[in-house]
Amino acid sequence: GNSVTQMEGPVTLSEEAFLTINCTYTATGYPSLFWYVQYPGEGLQLLLKATKADDKGSNKGFEATYRKETTSFHLEKGSVQVSDSAVYFCALSSGSARQLTFGSGTQLTVLP
Amino acid sequence: GAGVSQSPSNKVTEKGKDVELRCDPISGHTALYWYRQSLGQGLEFLIYFQGNSAPDKSGLPSDRFSAERTGGSVSTLTIQRTQQEDSAVYLCASSIRQGAHTEAFFGQGTRLTVV
């Protein structure tokens, strides 16, 4: 079956630090990969996605590259801001399954 | 509406009571999903509706859980004889169609507390 494993948190960084949140997956077929973000008091929002190998998703300074050879989709940002404090979820969807499969989420806190 | 709307936003209920949670998907979205987010856990898939097809109920944790979707739009998740382990945030999402590449839009969730 499908599964997503992501880096356990919480992660605490200073403003302008480099961020990496690791995500690896197991899936049947050729999945699409997603990063969702949940800001305090808000619902889940799609941050970025990639639908095939070697695709790079990017949004708001965040990037993630679909690596089929390492079954990974690590989230990176070169310089985090206090406003990036949130919970980040890695997820996948494959053609054989209708729903998203989520990782357990990583709490990020950015200090000024 | 502009986004997925869920109500109530918070619900406190006594153990053993039944609760109903409502989801209004984005207009025109044919796919609707329910997930559960327990404290410290990821999101757990519960049930999926696609158009007029039979729902995929494979994620429902017990027969106390049921859901319906009337007229292909609004959905209600019902939990009967609630237990303390049912306490969680229940999230609804919709997408324009079913498909691996399709973005799902989430509501803000209903926080259920069973006391």
Side-chain angles (χ1 to χ4, degrees), chain B residues 28-39:
Chain B
H29 281 195
T30 61
L32 186 147
Y33 311 78
W34 283 97
Y35 291 84
R36 177 168 71 175
Q37 184 177 19
S38 302
L39 187 63

Side-chain angles (χ1 to χ4, degrees), chain A residues 42-55:
Chain A
E42 299 185 15
L44 278 169
Q45 304 172 25
L46 180 66
L47 179 60
L48 54 84
K49 70 177 184 180
T51 59
K52 61 183 188 295
D54 300 325
D55 267 2

Side-chain angles (χ1 to χ4, degrees), chain B residues 23-81:
Chain B
C23 172
D24 279 279
I26 294 173
S27 178
H29 281 195
T30 61
L32 186 147
Y33 311 78
W34 283 97
Y35 291 84
R36 177 168 71 175
Q37 184 177 19
S38 302
L39 187 63
Q41 304 289 318
L43 278 79
E44 174 190 6
F45 166 74
L46 297 177
I47 189 168
Y48 162 80
F49 295 89
Q50 170 60 46
N52 295 320
S53 302
D56 177 353
K57 305 178 181 180
S58 60
L60 294 178
S62 79
D63 59 7
R64 295 187 295 106
F65 287 72
S66 63
E68 63 177 19
R69 188 179 185 192
T70 54
S73 181
V74 171
S75 177
T76 303
L77 176 69
T78 301
I79 309 173
Q80 296 178 310
R81 304 181 303 282

Side-chain angles (χ1 to χ4, degrees), chain A residues 10-32:
Chain A
V11 174
T12 302
L13 296 174
S14 298
E15 206 165 23
E16 300 183 1
F18 184 85
L19 168 71
T20 299
I21 301 178
N22 290 338
C23 172
T24 57
Y25 67 89
T26 303
T28 56
Y30 300 95
S32 291

